[in-house]
Amino acid sequence: GLLGNTVNGGPGVYNSALDLQTLLFRVPRNVVVLIIGVIVLVVAYVGVIVLNAVNTLNALVIIMIVVVTPWAVITILGMWVRHGHVYADDLHAFAVPGARGPYWFTGGVNFRAVIALVAGAVVGLLFSDNTIFAGPFSQAFGGVDLSFTSAGITGGVLYLILLRLAPETGVLAQPSKE
């Protein structure tokens, strides 16, 4: 675990040092990396050892997983519905003033996906049990954690139902001309 965290944390510290060096441009990069490393070490020590915040951090990670799971399922289902076809040039068309591609939907929001995401996250949180709160259904299945599973299934099924009721236009895969 330590080696894995070190390997993953190294690029993060280096990238944050690049960002911080824009402010401290006269300080050599290796010194900025050292400063950030010391700050992170002190904050981690205070948070984990002094304040014993491990349980709170674990709870926040569980909540983030519950919220992100329906988003991931909706994204995968969107690719499946579109048969893997993506209009790559239009993925960030909103960044160009006045440009509107097929992913603009309604004012830049895909309400089908947002409704499914929120519903999935809410259902997942109802099954969640962590140190911050316990959902009303968290013990319904004998302590089995169904938070992210119920979030993903609810979000995915609702997204497919909403696609059936109000199909997305302009983003479906075009038939191949082969």
Side-chain angles (χ1 to χ4, degrees):
L2 178 64
L3 182 60
N5 286 331
T6 302
V7 170
N8 288 327
V13 170
Y14 185 76
N15 286 334
S16 63
L18 289 176
D19 293 339
L20 185 59
Q21 197 170 22
T22 60
L23 299 173
L24 305 172
F25 55 89
R26 295 188 191 274
V27 180
R29 186 173 302 150
N30 59 344
V31 175
V32 175
V33 169
L34 185 61
I35 291 169
I36 289 176
V38 169
I39 291 170
V40 168
L41 186 62
V42 168
V43 169
Y45 177 79
V46 169
V48 173
I49 305 298
V50 176
L51 299 177
N52 195 19
V54 173
N55 290 334
T56 303
L57 291 173
N58 283 337
L60 290 173
V61 169
I62 290 169
I63 292 168
M64 285 181 2
I65 290 171
V66 168
V67 172
V68 169
T69 299
W71 170 77
V73 170
I74 290 165
T75 300
I76 291 168
L77 288 174
M79 288 296 293
W80 177 69
V81 166
R82 295 175 186 91
H83 307 289
H85 181 78
V86 176
Y87 298 100
D89 292 339
D90 292 323
L91 285 175
H92 296 287
F94 62 88
V96 179
R100 301 293 181 256
Y103 302 111
W104 186 248
F105 297 106
T106 305
V109 178
N110 183 345
F111 286 103
R112 297 159 205 82
V114 171
I115 290 168
L117 168 66
V118 170
V122 167
V123 168
L125 291 174
L126 292 174
F127 284 94
S128 183
D129 187 6
N130 54 65
T131 57
I132 295 176
F133 71 91
F137 305 134
S138 63
Q139 298 301 316
F141 293 93
V144 176
D145 183 5
L146 294 176
S147 58
F148 75 93
T149 308
S150 62
I153 291 171
T154 301
V157 169
L158 184 56
Y159 180 63
L160 292 175
I161 290 170
L162 292 172
L163 283 178
R164 179 71 74 156
L165 295 174
E168 297 171 345
T169 58
V171 293
L172 296 179
Q174 303 299 323
S176 65
K177 296 181 182 181
E178 296 176 17

